[in-house]
Amino acid sequence: MIQHTVRQAGVTVALLLAGTAATQAQVGPGTQWTKDGYGYLKVQQDELVQLDARKTGQALTILSKQQLTPQGATAPLKVRRFSLSDDGKQVLLNTNTRKVWRYDTRGDYWVYDLATKQLTQLGKGRPESSLMFAKFSPDGKKVAYVSEHNLYVEDLADHHITQLTSDGTDRLINGTFDWVYEEELDCRDGFRWAPDGQSLAYWQLDATKTRNYLMLNTTDALYPYTVPVEYPVVGQDPSRARIGVVPVAGGPTRWMDIPGDAVQHYLPRMEWSGKNELIVQQLNRRQNESTIILCNTATGSAKPIFSETDKAWVDAKDEAVGWNWIEGGKRFVWSSEKDGWRHLYAVDRTGKEQLLTPGNYDVISVATISEPAGTIYFMASPTNATQTYLYKVPLKGGKAERVTPAALTGSNSYDVSPNGKIALHTFSNTGTFPVADVVSLPAHTRLSGGEVPEQARNMKLPKTEFFQVKTVDGVTLDGWMVKPTNFDPRKKYPIVFYVYGEPASQTVTDRFGTGLNRLYQGNMADDGYIYASLENRGAPAPRGREFRKAIYHNIGSLNIRDQAMGAQEVLKNSYIDTSRVAVWGWSGGGSSTLNLLYQYPGIYKTGISIAAVDNQLNYDNIYQERYMGLLPEDRHFFVDNSPLAHVKGLRGNLLLVHGTGDDNVHYNNAEQMINELVKNNKTFQLMSYPNRTHSISEGEGTSRHLASTYTKFLKENCPPGGR
C-alpha cells in the first residue's frame, strides 16, 4: 500500500511512549504469554524478564545480562525480538537485525537452553545478519529459518544444519516474499512448521520476469551507480507464486496443485489445517474473487471449499499468520462484506457458513476467540467511525455487546491473553496521551497500570473538534478541526487541510496525534491557523462496504470530489478566509493534494505534495490494480484520474517534495510531473532529497530541513493569523 508516513509515525511514537506490548505478527512472534495466560515476557534493560500482567511489581529475571552475553564478548546481546519453545525450556533470540524494505526482518539468531544454561548462535557458516523468521519445531528440538532465499533446518542437539532448498536466488524466493507481496499483502514470513514437525510448508515466488526499477545513487561514490528493485508496475505480471511441502530430513518438494494460472493469481495466506493438509486463500489477478482451498500435502491435490466475489475487490485475510479455527478444526471464523457490512462468519470444511455478527455495523478486526468462554472478542464502533472499542459476541452468533466502558471515549486497542481473561489495553483520544493498563475480561476491570507517562503530563495537546458535513452530493463526511489558540469568531483565519484520501489509511480518528502536525515548526494554533481534515469515501472507515468501495475505478476522482465538496461546506463558516486555503499530504495524500489543487483551483490556493504518485501507471500492480482495474481495458481510469492529467488546472502555489531513493513511490513520478508542469508553463517549487526513501528521514538534518521547508513555504504562501 502507499504508506501514510506522517500518521503512522505519530501513532507509533504514541504506542511506544505508552509502553504497549502489542506487536505486529508478521514482524515478530507477538507477545510471549506464560502458559497460564496471566504473565508475559519482555526485554527490559538488556534482560529478559517475566511480568505478572495482573499487578505492578517486581519483574522476574528469566535471562540476565550475564546469561545474554556470548562467550568472549563484553556486552549482552541486543535482543530485538524473541520466542519460547512450547515447553518453555528454550528461548530463541533475534539480534543484529537489518531492514528488508520496511522492517528489520533479517538478522542473527541465538538459542538459550535454560536447562544447560548454554547460549549458542544458529546458522554457523551463514552470512552475518542473513537469517529470517527462525521458528522452533513443535517439539522444540529443531529450528527452521530462511537465509539468502533458501530454507534450512538446524538440529539443536548437535547443531547439524540441513539445507532444504538450493534453488534460491535474488529472484527465485523460497520462504519469504518479493517487494510487492510484502508491501501490499503484508507477507513476510513465508514458511510454516507442520504440526508433527516432520515437514515445512512454504511459498516460492519466481520474480525472474519482474523488471527492475533502477534508482540512481549519485552521492555515495565518485561515480553514480544504480540500485535495482524488482518492482512490477501496473500491467506487469505478478511473480509466479506456488506453495510446496518439503521434509525436514531433506528431499524433494511436493508442490500443491492449486488450480488456475500460477502467475495470474495471488496466494496471500496459507496455514496448516491438520495432518497432511493446508488451507490456502487465493485471489485472482483483479482481486475480486477469493477462493479458500484445502490442499492434501501427501498427494498435492487441491479442493476449493469456499469462494466469494465482489464488484470491486475482496480483501486478503486480515492476519498474515494464523487461522481462526474453532471446534477442534471443524470450522473457522472468516470475515466478509457480502451483506454490505464487514461481518464474521463460521465456515465449515464443506464451505457451509453461518453469520455470527448480524447487524448494520462493521467488524474492524478480531481481537481473540475464547472457546472456553464461548466468546469472540472483536473491535468495532457502530455509531462513530472515528473511534474503536472492544465488543464481544457468543461463538454461536448473536447480538454484539460492548466491553469497553463508556468512559473510554476514543481509540482503544487490546492484546488479549490466550486464556481470554485479561488483556493489555491502550487508550487514547485527541486530548489524552496514550495510557496502557491491564484489564480483566469481560468485566474490563483495571488490574494494573494506567499511569500517565512522565513525558506526557505537561504536553500541550491541540483542542481538536470533530464534526460532520453533508456535501451537495448528499454524502456525509467526518472531519476534525483545530482552531487558533486565541480564536475570535469575528476574524477570518487561514485553513490548512490535511489529506490522505486513499483506501490505505484514515485521517479522521479520535486518538492521540490527530490534530498535530509534526512538519510544522512551532504551533499552528498559536500562530493563527485553522487545521482540519475530512474523511472521503474510499477510506477504510467502519462505515459499511458502500462507503469504502465507492472509490473503485475512482481514485483521483470520487475521493477528490468528496474532499472538495466537503471543504466547500467547511468554508461556509464566516471565520475562514477563503483566499487563504492550503492542503497538504504525503504519499497517497500527496497525490490527493495535487488533484485537489489542479481540479478545484477555486477552492485550494496552496498545496504541499510529498512523495506523491503523480501517474497511477507508475505504481505497483497489487495496490493500484486492486482499486482501479486491469490493463488494457481499464487504462482510462488510471490515466484520466492521475494528477498528470490535470496539470493545466494549476493556478495556486505548489511545493513538490520527493526522495530520489524512494523504493515505494519512485522518483520518476516527480520527474514526470516536473515535465508536465514545465510543458504547461506552470511555476512551482521543488525540493528533492537525494537517496532518501519514502519516509524522507535518512541522513543528518533531513527531518528538520523538511519541516523548515514545509513551514517556510506555508507561511509565505498561506500567511497565518486572523484578519
Side-chain angles (χ1 to χ4, degrees):
M1 69 185 66
I2 304 178
Q3 298 292 342
H4 191 195
T5 309
V6 174
R7 285 292 307 138
Q8 290 187 340
V11 173
T12 300
V13 169
L15 292 178
L16 286 173
L17 291 173
T20 180
T23 58
Q24 297 186 34
Q26 271 279 280
V27 180
T31 302
Q32 296 292 293
W33 294 91
T34 55
K35 286 293 184 182
D36 64 5
Y38 289 114
Y40 64 95
L41 283 73
K42 65 181 293 187
V43 176
Q44 185 172 285
Q45 297 177 341
D46 288 336
E47 295 187 329
L48 182 62
V49 301
Q50 180 178 316
L51 301 167
D52 188 328
R54 296 165 292 182
K55 57 187 178 182
T56 303
Q58 186 71 30
L60 174 65
T61 300
I62 304 300
L63 292 178
S64 66
K65 293 179 182 179
Q66 183 180 359
Q67 290 170 302
L68 287 172
T69 302
Q71 188 174 4
T74 58
L77 298 173
K78 295 292 184 182
V79 179
R80 178 68 175 88
R81 50 185 71 90
F82 64 92
S83 60
L84 273 66
S85 58
D86 282 348
D87 61 10
K89 295 179 180 179
Q90 297 178 98
V91 186
L92 187 59
L93 307 159
N94 184 205
T95 185
N96 197 27
T97 58
R98 302 286 186 272
K99 274 191 174 183
V100 178
W101 310 123
R102 297 287 163 266
Y103 300 101
D104 60 334
T105 51
R106 188 165 55 83
D108 295 329
Y109 281 89
W110 298 69
V111 167
Y112 191 92
D113 189 312
L114 293 168
T116 65
K117 302 188 185 307
Q118 293 294 310
L119 178 65
T120 309
Q121 185 171 4
L122 301 180
K124 185 177 181 180
R126 303 304 309 156
E128 181 185 8
S129 296
S130 72
L131 273 58
M132 303 176 71
F133 312 116
K135 294 188 281 288
F136 284 115
S137 59
D139 63 7
K141 294 181 179 180
K142 298 180 176 67
V143 170
Y145 46 78
V146 173
S147 178
E148 296 185 312
H149 292 169
N150 278 310
L151 281 161
Y152 297 82
V153 168
E154 185 164 341
D155 192 306
L156 295 179
D158 58 9
H159 291 282
H160 174 74
I161 298 172
T162 302
Q163 184 169 347
L164 303 183
T165 65
S166 58
D167 54 356
T169 67
D170 63 336
R171 291 305 184 88
L172 190 65
I173 303 166
N174 296 304
T176 184
F177 296 90
D178 63 1
W179 185 94
V180 71
Y181 257 76
E182 173 176 321
E183 178 71 14
E184 307 302 356
L185 296 170
D186 293 324
C187 292
R188 294 173 183 87
D189 179 351
F191 72 91
R192 308 284 186 267
W193 275 102
D196 63 6
Q198 298 303 305
S199 58
L200 296 177
Y202 69 98
W203 278 265
Q204 183 188 77
L205 267 65
D206 183 352
T208 55
K209 294 184 179 179
T210 301
R211 294 185 63 182
N212 278 333
Y213 180 85
L214 299 178
M215 296 186 295
L216 187 63
N217 187 318
T218 62
T219 63
D220 291 347
L222 185 60
Y223 286 88
Y225 60 91
T226 58
V227 180
V229 180
E230 82 261 0
Y231 191 100
V233 298
V234 168
Q236 298 295 307
D237 282 342
S239 298
R240 184 192 69 183
R242 57 180 179 170
I243 290 170
V245 175
V246 60
V248 297
T253 294
R254 182 180 292 280
W255 299 105
M256 300 300 100
D257 189 19
I258 293 173
D261 187 324
V263 174
Q264 301 301 324
H265 72 203
Y266 301 105
L267 302 175
R269 304 290 182 258
M270 175 272 287
E271 298 290 339
W272 287 89
S273 51
K275 185 178 181 180
N276 296 328
E277 188 181 68
L278 301 174
I279 190 165
V280 178
Q281 182 183 18
Q282 180 191 58
L283 294 173
N284 66 333
R285 174 74 180 268
R286 275 191 179 270
Q287 301 172 66
N288 62 359
E289 297 177 4
S290 171
T291 305
I292 306 302
I293 301 166
L294 291 178
C295 298
N296 185 311
T297 62
T299 65
S301 62
K303 178 185 177 183
I305 63 165
F306 180 77
S307 64
E308 66 173 305
T309 60
D310 194 290
K311 292 179 181 178
W313 70 87
V314 180
D315 291 313
K317 175 184 174 296
D318 281 348
E319 296 296 327
V321 173
W323 209 277
N324 293 317
W325 290 102
I326 56 175
E327 299 169 12
K330 293 180 181 178
R331 298 200 293 174
F332 59 90
V333 176
W334 194 253
S335 64
S336 171
E337 297 179 327
K338 63 178 62 181
D339 74 349
W341 301 92
R342 186 188 295 116
H343 280 306
L344 300 180
Y345 295 78
V347 182
D348 69 16
R349 288 171 173 269
T350 69
K352 183 180 179 181
E353 63 186 59
Q354 175 198 355
L355 176 62
L356 301 177
T357 56
N360 294 336
Y361 68 91
D362 281 314
V363 172
I364 296 173
S365 62
V366 175
T368 197
I369 299 172
S370 177
E371 286 203 79
T375 302
I376 300 176
Y377 289 101
F378 62 91
M379 304 305 298
S381 187
T383 60
N384 189 325
T386 73
Q387 299 169 346
T388 51
Y389 303 104
L390 185 68
Y391 278 75
K392 67 173 184 174
V393 71
L395 194 52
K396 63 183 180 181
K399 184 178 180 181
E401 179 183 343
R402 178 164 154 168
V403 177
T404 306
L408 298 179
T409 302
S411 294
N412 296 266
S413 65
Y414 296 82
D415 185 345
V416 183
S417 162
N419 66 19
K421 296 180 179 180
I422 62 171
L424 308 179
H425 165 241
T426 303
F427 162 72
S428 79
N429 57 35
T430 56
T432 305
F433 196 91
V435 175
D437 59 5
V438 180
V439 298
S440 65
L441 294 178
H444 211 288
T445 303
R446 177 177 287 169
L447 301 177
S448 65
E451 298 83 12
V452 177
E454 184 68 33
Q455 63 268 46
R457 291 173 185 165
N458 298 316
M459 187 174 184
K460 183 180 179 181
L461 296 178
K463 295 181 180 179
T464 307
E465 303 173 13
F466 286 86
F467 63 89
Q468 289 186 326
V469 293
K470 190 171 184 178
T471 72
V472 294
D473 301 320
V475 180
T476 299
L477 305 179
D478 287 311
W480 56 257
M481 177 184 293
V482 179
K483 292 176 181 174
T485 303
N486 297 311
F487 177 70
D488 183 345
R490 295 168 297 180
K491 293 183 178 181
K492 290 185 178 292
Y493 297 91
I495 187 168
V496 179
F497 286 100
Y498 169 53
V499 64
Y500 182 71
E502 298 202 9
S505 183
Q506 286 180 256
T507 64
V508 183
T509 53
D510 188 5
R511 63 186 177 193
F512 174 80
T514 296
L516 291 169
N517 184 350
R518 75 174 177 89
L519 287 189
Y520 186 84
Q521 291 184 323
N523 186 298
M524 292 185 74
D526 288 351
D527 289 350
Y529 281 111
I530 295 173
Y531 193 35
S533 189
L534 295 166
E535 200 86 273
N536 53 261
R537 284 175 292 172
R543 292 188 57 182
R545 179 203 172 278
E546 293 304 315
F547 182 88
R548 288 187 294 275
K549 294 187 175 178
I551 202 169
Y552 186 63
H553 283 163
N554 283 307
I555 291 178
S557 174
L558 176 137
N559 57 326
I560 302 307
R561 180 168 175 82
D562 275 0
Q563 285 285 335
M565 296 302 98
Q568 203 166 60
E569 296 303 312
V570 173
L571 297 185
K572 290 178 181 178
N573 288 295
S574 60
Y575 51 79
I576 294 176
D577 185 345
T578 58
S579 71
R580 291 183 289 166
V581 179
V583 59
W584 84 277
W586 196 308
S587 195
S591 311
S592 295
T593 295
L594 293 173
N595 268 320
L596 290 168
L597 206 59
Y598 298 168
Q599 294 184 41
Y600 295 93
I603 298 175
Y604 304 95
K605 316 301 183 184
T606 296
I608 301 174
S609 170
I610 305 175
V613 175
D614 301 304
N615 178 358
Q616 293 187 42
L617 293 175
N618 290 339
Y619 202 56
D620 76 65
N621 53 7
I622 295 183
Y623 180 94
Q624 214 66 47
E625 291 175 2
R626 179 188 300 151
Y627 306 123
M628 298 297 283
L630 295 183
L631 304 185
E633 58 267 39
D634 296 322
R635 183 183 177 87
H636 59 291
F637 294 121
F638 295 88
V639 173
D640 295 348
N641 294 322
S642 290
L644 273 183
H646 302 282
V647 169
K648 291 181 179 179
L650 176 63
R651 298 206 303 264
N653 314 296
L654 169 62
L655 171 63
L656 282 179
V657 181
H658 216 116
T660 69
D662 193 334
D663 63 276
N664 186 346
V665 182
H666 299 136
Y667 189 65
N668 66 340
N669 282 276
E671 293 191 321
Q672 289 175 23
M673 178 56 65
I674 292 166
N675 278 341
E676 197 66 20
L677 288 163
V678 169
K679 185 177 87 172
N680 286 278
N681 196 30
K682 300 294 183 179
T683 58
F684 63 99
Q685 292 188 32
L686 172 70
M687 184 61 232
S688 297
Y689 286 94
N691 298 325
R692 272 65 165 192
T693 65
H694 197 54
S695 66
I696 313 183
S697 59
E698 303 81 4
E700 185 178 356
T702 298
S703 296
R704 182 177 69 250
H705 186 273
L706 175 57
S708 298
T709 302
Y710 174 102
T711 306
K712 184 173 186 289
F713 184 85
L714 184 64
K715 285 184 173 180
E716 288 178 350
N717 294 283
C718 183
R723 295 176 180 173

